[in-house]
C-alpha cells in the first residue's frame, strides 16, 4: 500500500488565502445583495501597462511565424531578460550581480517555496513572526519543523522572531543559531521595513554564524524612503550569505501573468559546493523556463516607457495606502506600514481577536481584510489591509469603517 508524505498532514487544512476566499464566498452566498470590497489578498487591480501589452502583442505575433517561433525557453531564462535584470536591478545600483547569477522563474511564490529544497533536511529555519505563510508551510512539507504546539501555533524546530509594535517590527537575532533566515523587506504582512544599517547587521550576523538569508524583495518597488535598501546586495558581504527573490507581480501587475527571478551569487558556498550550481541543477531539472512571451513582457518593464508607466501604477497604489493609513488613524486605530509597502497593518480595536475582527468587518462593513493571526502567533490582535484596490473602493471602504 502506498504511503503519503505525512508532513503534508501536519499542515493546516488550507492555505490562509483559500480559507479567506471560502469564508467570503459563503458570506456572499448568504447575502447576495451586499457589495463586498476586497482588501484581503495582495492582488493587483490595475490593468497591465501599455508598454507591457505592446511587448506581449509583439511576442505573440512572433510565435505565429515559423522563423520567429520559440519552443522551450532556456530553463534559466532568456539572456535578453537576465542581462536586462543584471544591469537595471543590480549593476546600475552599484550591486555586483552577473546575468548568470539570475534565474528567471514563474514567480516569487514558487521560488520562495522551492528554494528550501537545496538545503539539508536538518537545517533550522528562522522566520519573522508574523510571516508570509509560504516560507513555513514549504518547510513543513519538507519535514523541517518538528512538532506543532496548537496553543502557541508554533513548530518546535522553527525559530520565530517576533516583529511587533513593541520592537518596531525589527526582529532581534535569535538566541539559537539558525541555518536559514527568511527576511521579507519591505515586509509582508506588516508593511514595515529594515533600514540599510539594520539589514547590514543581518548580513554580518549571517556571515558570522554561517547562515543563508533568503531575502524576499517582492515589494521593493514600493520603497519611498532613501534609507531602505532595494536589494540585499547593497550590503557589504551579502554575496557570501544571501539569496534574493524578486517578483514582477506587485511592481508590474503580473499576478496573473507569472514571472519572477532568484539571484544566487556564485560566492555563496557550503564548503566547496556552490549554491548557484545546485539551484541551476534544480531549476534545469524541474522547470522548463518561463514562456518567451512573458519574458518579453518582463523585459518591457525596464524600457523607458515601461518604467514611467509602472511608477505611475505604484504611485496609484501608494495613494491608496495613504488613504487607508490616514483614514484608520483618524478613526483612532494604531496603524503601521503603508509608507514603503502596499500593506497597512493595524491593531484590532480593544484587543479583539484577529478572526473576530475579520468577521466583524466583513459583516458590518462588507470589507475583506486578512487576520494578522493567519501570519503567525505574533500577528494575533493585528489585521492587514492592502492598497491594491481601486481608489474608489479604497475610499468607500474607509468610509464604511469610519461609520462603524
Ligand atoms: C499576500 O496577500 O500576502 C500576497 O498576495 C500573497 C502572494 O504574493 O502570494
Amino acid at each position: 500500500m502506498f504511503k503519503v508524505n505525512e508532513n503534508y498532514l501536519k499542515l493546516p487544512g488550507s492555505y490562509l488565502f483559500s480559507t479567506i476566499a471560502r469564508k467570503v464566498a459563503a458570506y456572499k452566498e448568504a447575502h447576495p445583495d451586499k457589495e463586498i470590497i476586497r482588501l484581503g489578498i495582495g492582488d493587483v487591480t490595475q490593468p497591465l501597462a501599455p508598454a507591457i501589452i505592446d511587448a506581449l502583442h509583439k511576442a505573440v505575433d512572433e510565435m505565429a511565424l515559423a522563423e520567429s517561433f520559440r519552443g522551450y525557453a532556456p530553463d534559466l531564462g532568456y539572456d535578453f531578460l537576465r542581462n536586462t535584470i543584471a544591469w537595471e536591478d543590480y549593476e546600475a545600483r552599484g550591486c555586483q550581480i552577473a546575468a548568470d547569477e539570475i534565474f528567471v522563474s514563474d514567480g516569487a511564490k514558487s521560488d520562495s517555496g522551492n528554494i528550501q529544497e537545496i538545503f539539508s533536511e536538518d537545517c533550522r529555519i528562522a522566520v519573522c513572526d508574523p510571516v508570509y505563510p509560504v516560507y513555513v508551510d514549504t518547510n513543513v512539507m519538507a519535514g523541517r519543523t518538528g512538532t506543532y504546539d496548537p496553543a502557541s501555533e508554533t513548530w518546535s524546530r522553527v525559530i520565530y522572531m517576533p516583529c511587533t509594535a513593541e520592537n518596531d517590527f525589527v526582529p532581534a537575532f535569535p538566541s539559537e543559531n539558525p541555518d536559514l533566515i527568511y527576511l521579507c523587506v519591505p515586509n509582508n504582512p506588516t508593511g514595515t521595513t529594515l533600514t540599510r544599517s539594520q539589514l547590514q547587521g543581518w548580513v554580518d550576523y549571517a556571515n558570522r554564524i554561517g547562515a543563508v538569508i533568503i531575502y524576499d524583495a517582492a515589494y521593493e518597488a514600493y520603497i519611498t524612503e532613501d534609507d531602505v535598501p532595494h536589494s540585499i546586495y547593497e550590503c557589504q558581504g551579502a554575496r557570501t550569505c544571501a539569496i534574493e527573490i524578486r517578483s514582477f507581480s506587485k511592481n508590474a501587475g503580473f499576478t496573473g501573468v507569472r514571472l519572477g527571478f532568484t539571484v544566487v551569487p556564485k560566492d555563496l558556498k557550503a564548503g566547496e559546493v556552490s549554491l548557484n550550481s545546485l539551484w541551476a541543477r534544480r531549476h534545469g531539472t524541474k522547470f522548463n523556463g518561463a514562456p518567451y512571451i512573458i519574458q518579453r513582457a518582463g523585459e518591457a518593464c525596464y524600457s523607458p516607457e515601461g518604467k514611467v508607466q509602472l511608477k505611475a501604477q505604484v504611485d496609484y497604489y501608494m495613494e491608496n495606502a495613504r488613504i487607508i493609513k490616514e483614514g484608520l488613524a483618524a478613526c483612532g486605530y494604531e496603524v503601521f506600514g503603508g509608507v514603503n509597502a502596499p500593506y497597512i497593518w493595524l491593531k484590532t480595536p480593544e484587543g479583539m481577536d484577529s478572526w473576530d475582527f475579520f468577521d466583524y468587518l466583513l459583516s458590518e462593513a462588507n470589507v475583506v481584510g486578512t487576520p494578522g493571526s493567519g501570519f503567525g502567533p505574533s500577528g494575533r490582535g493585528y489585521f492587514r489591509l492592502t492598497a491594491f484596490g481601486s481608489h474608489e473602493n479604497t475610499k468607500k471602504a474607509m468610509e464604511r469603517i469610519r461609520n462603524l
Side-chain angles (χ1 to χ4, degrees):
M1 180 64 186
F2 67 84
K3 290 185 182 163
V4 297
N5 176 349
E6 295 205 351
N7 292 320
Y8 276 65
L9 309 181
K10 300 179 190 165
L11 289 164
S14 70
Y15 184 59
L16 172 63
F17 293 107
S18 318
T19 308
I20 291 173
R22 246 199 342 271
K23 272 179 164 268
V24 175
Y27 181 83
K28 185 75 188 155
E29 203 177 313
H31 306 87
D33 53 315
K34 299 285 188 195
E35 185 219 14
I36 294 174
I37 299 177
R38 292 165 202 270
L39 303 181
I41 190 164
D43 195 3
V44 294
T45 52
Q46 292 293 295
L48 293 173
I52 294 165
I53 293 294
D54 286 349
L56 284 168
H57 283 159
K58 193 160 161 267
V60 167
D61 288 344
E62 284 180 61
M63 296 297 263
L65 302 172
E67 45 295 5
S68 48
F69 169 78
R70 314 273 181 138
Y72 289 129
D75 42 31
L76 307 185
Y78 280 104
D79 283 346
F80 65 77
L81 183 57
R82 297 173 91 194
N83 288 329
T84 304
I85 292 169
W87 171 253
E88 294 283 346
D89 282 320
Y90 297 105
E91 286 171 52
R93 287 184 174 277
C95 304
Q96 286 187 337
I97 294 296
D100 61 358
E101 296 176 314
I102 293 163
F103 299 84
V104 176
S105 74
D106 64 350
K109 185 174 184 179
S110 323
D111 284 355
S112 59
N114 292 330
I115 195 71
Q116 47 76 29
E117 283 185 26
I118 61 170
F119 296 97
S120 150
E121 258 180 58
D122 303 336
C123 282
R124 286 206 69 177
I125 68 159
V127 294
C128 292
D129 170 25
V131 60
Y132 178 44
V134 172
Y135 311 153
V136 176
D137 286 3
T138 53
N139 278 285
V140 175
M141 291 170 179
R144 223 175 260 120
T145 40
T147 51
Y148 187 65
D149 173 24
S152 62
E153 296 179 329
T154 56
W155 294 94
S156 59
R157 276 184 56 76
V158 174
I159 300 169
Y160 293 83
M161 305 182 291
C163 297
T164 60
E166 284 65 44
N167 63 4
D168 236 351
F169 302 94
V170 177
F173 300 142
S175 49
E176 303 159 87
N177 284 351
D179 302 298
L180 303 180
I181 303 161
Y182 287 82
L183 293 179
C184 177
V185 182
N187 187 254
N188 178 15
T190 65
T192 58
T193 53
L194 297 180
T195 62
R196 196 167 279 107
S197 69
Q198 285 166 338
L199 186 60
Q200 182 66 58
W202 278 95
V203 167
D204 295 343
Y205 168 77
N207 275 322
R208 197 162 62 241
I209 64 166
V212 173
I213 297 176
I214 315 279
Y215 190 76
D216 183 344
Y219 298 94
E220 74 70 41
Y222 291 83
I223 293 171
T224 60
E225 292 178 323
D226 288 343
D227 200 21
V228 180
H230 286 254
S231 162
I232 195 164
Y233 303 114
E234 289 176 34
C235 296
Q236 293 279 324
R239 283 185 57 86
T240 53
C241 70
I243 290 174
E244 180 163 293
I245 297 173
R246 292 278 193 106
S247 168
F248 287 78
S249 287
K250 319 289 164 145
N251 65 326
F254 277 34
T255 54
V257 176
R258 308 309 306 152
L259 191 68
F261 62 92
T262 285
V263 179
V264 188
K266 291 192 173 156
D267 300 349
L268 185 47
K269 292 184 174 165
E272 284 311 301
V273 181
S274 142
L275 296 195
N276 180 290
S277 317
L278 290 193
W279 186 243
R281 185 70 171 87
R282 192 258 169 220
H283 215 55
T285 306
K286 296 197 174 183
F287 186 59
N288 250 341
Y292 173 70
I293 297 167
I294 306 303
Q295 293 196 50
R296 281 292 182 203
E299 183 191 31
C301 297
Y302 298 95
S303 69
E305 324 76 77
K307 282 183 188 170
V308 171
Q309 293 162 8
L310 296 190
K311 164 95 175 52
Q313 281 193 352
V314 167
D315 289 349
Y316 178 94
Y317 293 130
M318 287 310 278
E319 172 60 9
N320 288 345
R322 187 193 63 76
I323 292 169
I324 297 173
K325 193 167 170 129
E326 290 179 6
L328 291 173
C331 299
Y333 286 91
E334 241 186 292
V335 273
F336 311 92
V339 175
N340 294 294
Y343 294 123
I344 289 86
W345 189 242
L346 56 129
K347 270 201 172 152
T348 57
E350 292 154 30
M352 204 168 176
D353 171 83
S354 299
W355 279 105
D356 289 346
F357 188 65
F358 171 90
D359 291 334
Y360 171 71
L361 219 55
L362 178 58
S363 60
E364 303 304 314
N366 300 145
V367 171
V368 180
T370 308
S373 56
F375 296 101
S378 295
R380 288 174 182 165
Y382 287 93
F383 199 76
R384 193 192 77 176
L385 292 174
T386 93
F388 286 123
S390 64
H391 282 337
E392 191 197 0
N393 276 349
T394 303
K395 285 184 192 150
K396 210 187 276 179
M398 283 307 104
E399 200 176 296
R400 290 185 193 173
I401 292 174
R402 202 167 34 246
N403 291 338
L404 281 178

